Amino acid sequence: MQSKVKALFNGLRKFNTKYFNSDASKYSSNSFIIIFLSILSISGLIILLSASSYLTIKYESSRFFYVIRQAGFTIIGFIVMIIFSKIDYNFYKKYGGMFYIISIILLILCYVPFISSPINGAKRAIKIFITFMPSDVAKLFVLIALSKLLITNYKENDEWKNGFFKIMIFIFIPFILIFFQTDLSTSLVLLFACLSVYFIYGFNKKFLLVLIPGILVSVLSLKFILKPYQIDRLIAFLNPEAYYDDISWQVLNGLFGFSRGGVFGVGFGKGIYKHGYLSNEVINDMIFSVVGEEFGFIGAIAILLLVFIITYLVIREAMKSKDIYAKLLCFGIGMVYFFQSMINIGVTISLVPNTGITLPFISNGGTSLIAFFAMFGVVLNISRQNKYLEKNENNKNKKNV
């Protein structure tokens, strides 16, 4: 027993020396990312305080129940982000395959009785000591593995037959596992992000020869792939007024809330559509409607600007990186954040069909929040490494002058 404990401590010591105590740790990460994430997180807590008021009355809980819980997750998330920002991203590069296997195992566990913890009938969560959603973890782990696969098969991927189809199968496995959890929105976010990473890795015209027919076949197959309620949502999206008393209830009331908010909003806490008109999803999928009603067009644009600024900062760090792996991973994380934010906002303002997904750093939810903080921790480490390499390059140039 003592030998096992000693081996564990030796392993942790080696890991700390190799992946924590790098020279790059002396440099600070992109402070603008931290500042804007802090602003967004604090804004989220303020919005949640108002959005949850009806639910606290409905369930006879403390006025600050949801906010205090979310604040706790936010603090944990910031700690996780700091830890991940200290871990050299080369650790993920080295063990990319392991992260992929872990993500697939976790996603499969959603279908295992006694471990799966269904949410509203959907098998999206598992309970192993704590309840969490593997799809939130998979978004990061699959990107870690995909970036590794792309760089390790660089020459092979130049060959169309060997490269493209291998990568598509690699992406398709987690996509289909999440899709059949009846989590269409998360599966699409993962798919879009992975395809974006593959696109910037090295666009091949032959990609379109498969992608365009693939999209057409997918659209034509929707009737056979989607669940009945998902098909109903698509139909209701095309003619929402005809389904006001049923499927379109949430979305139309969300739009009514936006129109009531006008330019400057009705004021913090004074919204009425959060009182049962958006159901229990008022603190999750439909929280952006509360922003529109209480803070108006100005408040909604402010949140949108924060999303665009943070996405831009992440992509800029990706483009600055001279390591192809870091570039791909950082870009993928930026795309996950952007696509998920846009789908949530698009649903709320009826630009895309109704599908449940959280608005990062704003919506209620612990797993999603902590997972995104972890992703941005990886981005911050890449930023730190960028500064370190840039400083070394500048020093070399000065010596050569």
Side-chain angles (χ1 to χ4, degrees):
M1 182 66 180
Q2 288 182 342
S3 60
K4 290 182 180 180
V5 173
K6 187 176 180 180
L8 176 63
F9 277 105
N10 287 335
L12 290 173
R13 191 180 297 112
K14 289 179 181 178
F15 177 84
N16 178 66
T17 302
K18 189 170 183 179
Y19 295 108
F20 272 93
N21 297 331
S22 64
D23 293 332
S25 64
K26 300 173 185 176
Y27 294 84
S28 61
S29 300
N30 190 321
S31 57
F32 287 108
I33 293 177
I34 299 171
I35 291 169
F36 284 113
L37 280 181
S38 299
I39 293 171
L40 193 62
S41 299
I42 294 169
S43 300
L45 292 174
I46 294 170
I47 295 165
L48 182 62
L49 177 61
S50 177
S52 64
S53 59
Y54 168 73
L55 294 181
T56 58
I57 296 170
K58 180 180 178 180
Y59 295 112
E60 298 180 348
S61 56
S62 166
R63 175 71 179 85
F64 302 98
F65 172 76
Y66 292 98
V67 175
I68 291 173
R69 187 176 66 175
Q70 189 75 349
F73 285 131
T74 302
I75 293 170
I76 294 171
F78 264 101
I79 294 171
V80 168
M81 184 173 70
I82 292 169
I83 293 172
F84 273 69
S85 74
K86 299 288 185 181
I87 301 174
D88 189 335
Y89 70 79
N90 287 292
F91 169 71
Y92 312 118
K93 184 194 295 187
K94 184 176 181 180
Y95 298 103
M98 179 188 71
F99 282 101
Y100 184 78
I101 292 170
I102 291 172
S103 66
I104 298 302
I105 291 172
L106 290 175
L107 290 172
I108 291 173
L109 288 177
C110 289
Y111 299 93
V112 177
F114 307 110
I115 296 177
S116 176
S117 181
I119 300 174
N120 297 325
K123 297 178 179 180
R124 302 179 184 180
I126 61 175
K127 188 172 184 179
I128 305 177
F129 302 112
I130 60 171
T131 301
F132 67 97
M133 294 177 63
S135 58
D136 288 324
V137 177
K139 282 180 280 194
L140 174 58
F141 283 13
V142 171
L143 285 174
I144 287 172
L146 176 63
S147 302
K148 172 67 180 294
L149 178 66
L150 288 171
I151 65 164
T152 52
N153 292 277
Y154 183 82
K155 292 181 180 179
E156 188 178 354
N157 287 331
D158 289 336
E159 298 295 329
W160 175 248
K161 291 181 180 179
N162 294 330
F164 177 80
F165 290 105
K166 178 191 291 187
I167 292 164
M168 290 303 106
I169 293 170
F170 185 89
I171 296 170
F172 182 76
I173 292 172
F175 166 79
I176 204 69
L177 286 171
I178 297 173
F179 178 84
F180 282 109
Q181 293 173 6
T182 61
D183 194 354
L184 175 62
S185 49
T186 301
S187 64
L188 288 177
V189 167
L190 180 64
L191 178 65
F192 293 156
C194 288
L195 290 178
S196 298
V197 169
Y198 182 75
F199 184 85
I200 70 155
Y201 161 73
F203 178 70
N204 191 317
K205 291 179 181 178
K206 293 179 181 178
F207 177 67
L208 295 176
L209 296 176
V210 176
L211 181 63
I212 294 175
I215 292 173
L216 291 174
V217 171
S218 299
V219 171
L220 294 173
S221 305
L222 287 178
K223 183 178 179 180
F224 307 100
I225 297 173
L226 297 179
K227 301 283 185 181
Y229 78 89
Q230 292 173 325
I231 295 174
D232 290 341
R233 286 181 177 181
L234 284 174
I235 296 171
F237 171 71
L238 299 174
N239 187 15
E241 291 81 4
Y243 299 88
Y244 173 68
D245 293 329
D246 186 16
I247 303 169
S248 301
W249 171 263
Q250 268 187 1
V251 173
L252 286 177
N253 279 311
L255 288 173
F256 296 154
F258 261 98
S259 63
R260 183 171 182 262
V263 177
F264 299 104
V266 299
F268 175 72
K270 296 180 180 178
I272 60 173
Y273 282 90
K274 64 190 177 186
H275 295 290
Y277 294 96
L278 302 174
S279 73
N280 288 2
E281 298 305 320
V282 65
I283 60 174
N284 296 315
D285 308 341
M286 301 301 294
I287 198 166
F288 193 66
S289 178
V290 178
V291 176
E293 184 180 6
E294 299 192 356
F295 300 96
F297 179 76
I298 300 298
I301 289 297
I303 296 297
L304 271 172
L305 278 175
L306 284 172
V307 171
F308 284 122
I309 290 169
I310 291 170
T311 303
Y312 165 74
L313 291 172
V314 174
I315 292 176
R316 190 177 70 171
E317 287 298 335
M319 296 301 103
K320 283 168 59 178
S321 180
K322 295 183 179 180
D323 184 337
I324 297 175
Y325 176 81
K327 187 187 296 291
L328 296 175
L329 179 55
C330 192
F331 183 83
I333 290 170
M335 289 298 96
V336 164
Y337 171 70
F338 179 75
F339 286 133
Q340 181 156 333
S341 299
M342 290 300 101
I343 289 176
N344 176 279
I345 293 171
V347 167
T348 306
I349 59 178
S350 200
L351 287 179
V352 297
N354 189 8
T355 178
I357 197 167
T358 60
L359 180 57
F361 303 103
I362 301 291
S363 294
N364 178 67
T367 307
S368 175
L369 183 66
I370 293 172
F372 270 103
F373 271 119
M375 289 185 212
F376 278 92
V378 175
V379 171
L380 292 177
N381 181 262
I382 293 171
S383 171
R384 191 192 304 275
Q385 300 275 2
N386 287 343
K387 283 190 177 182
Y388 168 67
L389 294 174
E390 185 180 352
K391 186 73 174 178
N392 278 358
E393 189 173 324
N394 290 337
N395 290 337
K396 287 180 181 178
N397 292 335
K398 286 179 182 179
K399 288 180 181 179
N400 293 330
V401 173

